[in-house]
Amino acid sequence: MAKILITGNGFDLFHHLPTKYHHFISIMQTIENNVYATDVSFEKLFGEVFKLRYQSDYNSIVENYNSGNIKFSSEKLNKIRQLLETNLWYKHFKNVLEIDTWIDFEMEIESILNQFEIFNKHEDKRVVRKNLFDDYLFGFTNFELFEIIKNKPISQIPFRLNEKYINGRKFSIDIKKMLDDLAKSFEGFIVIFNRYLVDVVSVFYSEIKQKSEIPFHLLSEIYTFNYTPTLENLYKVEKSKVVYLHGEINEDCSKQNLVLGISELPKHIRMSKMFDFTKYYQKINKKSNKKFIDIPEQKSHSLDENIFYIIGHSLDDSDKEYISDLFKFLDFDLRKNAKICVFYFNSRDMENKLRNLFSIIGRDIVVNMDKEDRLYFVELNEKNIIKEFERQTYKYEIFI
C-alpha cells in the first residue's frame, strides 16, 4: 500500500525555475560577455539574452518570485565565466541553435561522437606521417572547434590534425587521446552546469512568493531524475526520503555527482572503452547508481494497491529501463490494483508522453493498461496533485 512519486525536470519547470537547456545556455552567454564588480541583480542577469529569447518564462519567474530581492554573487559568476573561457563543449553548444531540450542535448553528444567514424578509413601510415588528409568530409565535422583539426583557412583541403593526436612512433591517429581530452572537457562542462544550478537556480528558492500546500508527507517514496533540491527547499521534504537517480548538485564541485550524458556509445567508439560519456558509467563512477522501485520476485495475487505518480518526466527512451520497471511492476500484480498516474502540462505534452510509451512499452500493453484504468493521465496543477496524493488506497487481503 504505497504512493510513489517520480519527478523529472518538468517538476522544476512547474515551479517556474530556469532549468531548461536553453535557459542554462542563455545565462552562460550573458555571464561569458560580462565581468561583474558587484553582486548582480535578477534583471541584470536575466534581463538580457534570457528575456529577449524567453519572454514568457521571464514573466513567469517575475510573477512567482520576488525577483527584485534576488542577488547573484559576482565572485561566483566571474568564476563561472573563467570556466567558460576554456571549455570546448560549451564553445560548441552555444553555437548550436537546433537544441531545444535536454534530450536534444544528448542527441548532439552522440552526433559528435559519431563523427569519429571518419578515422576508420584513414589508417594509411604514409598519409598519417605527412598529416595531410585530403578528405572533404572533415569539413562537415566539428573537429576544428574541438581543436582536433588545426586552424585552417576557409575551404582549405587537405586537413591537418593537431600534432598531439598523431603517434609519431607508430604513425597512427591516437583516437583514444582525442576522446580522452573530450571526456575531460565534458566533465568540465558538467562542473559548469553544477555551478549554474548552485549559484543561479538555487538562489530562487528563498524568494518564492507563495509556497504550495501539496501533501508530500502522504507519499511513501520519492524518486527524482532532477539534480536540484526543490522538494527539500520548497516543501521541507526530508532529504533521506528523496532518491536522486541521476546525482545531485553540491556547492563543492568535487563532490557533485551529476549524471549527464548518453544512454549508449556508438559501436565504433565502444572499442575505445571511452564510456565516460554514458550515463551507466557515470552512475557507478560517481557513486550515484541508486536503487529504483522494488519489483516483486514473482507474479502475485496478494499485492497491495500501489500508485506511481509521474510529474515532469518526458517518458523518453533515454530512461526506458526505469519506465519498463514501472510496467513490469504492474504486470506482476495479478489483482490489477497497481496504477500509474502521469501528470501532463497540456494536450501536446500528453500526446508526446503517450507516443513515447507506445515506443518503449508497446501498443498492446499501453492500450490494455488504459482500458483497465491502470494507466491514466491527469492535467498538472496544484488542485489535481493534492487530489491524487490524498486518494484513498487500500490494503487487500486474501482469505482462504
Side-chain angles (χ1 to χ4, degrees), residues 160-196:
R160 297 179 65 86
L161 300 184
N162 189 323
E163 282 81 0
K164 70 175 180 177
Y165 299 128
I166 300 291
N167 187 317
R169 185 171 62 86
K170 298 181 179 179
F171 297 116
S172 60
I173 302 172
D174 196 339
I175 300 176
K176 181 75 164 58
K177 183 170 178 55
M178 293 179 186
L179 292 169
D180 186 59
D181 284 352
L182 254 65
K184 290 176 181 176
S185 180
F186 188 68
E187 182 57 35
F189 183 85
I190 293 176
V191 167
I192 291 170
F193 184 48
N194 176 72
R195 290 258 57 95
Y196 170 71

Side-chain angles (χ1 to χ4, degrees), residues 3-16 19 212 214-216 219 221-226 228 230-231 235 245 292 307-315 319 323 326 340-345 349 353 376-389:
K3 296 174 183 176
I4 301 170
L5 174 64
I6 300 160
T7 67
N9 188 43
F11 183 76
D12 278 354
L13 298 178
F14 176 66
H15 293 89
H16 312 282
T19 55
S212 301
I214 299 175
F216 287 98
L219 301 172
E221 303 170 36
I222 300 175
Y223 298 90
T224 182
F225 289 92
N226 295 340
T228 49
T230 301
L231 284 160
Y235 298 99
L245 297 171
F292 193 41
I307 304 178
F308 299 96
Y309 296 110
I310 301 175
I311 299 179
H313 194 287
S314 64
L315 305 179
D319 290 317
I323 300 167
L326 291 178
I340 297 174
C341 172
V342 180
F343 286 92
Y344 63 89
F345 283 98
D349 182 46
K353 286 174 165 53
Y376 61 102
F377 294 81
V378 176
E379 185 176 0
L380 180 60
N381 57 55
E382 184 177 342
K383 180 180 178 181
N384 285 343
I385 295 176
I386 294 174
K387 180 180 178 181
E388 281 296 329
F389 285 6

Side-chain angles (χ1 to χ4, degrees), residues 66 202-208 234:
N66 297 308
S202 295
V203 175
F204 287 90
Y205 289 130
S206 61
E207 296 299 336
I208 191 168
L234 295 187

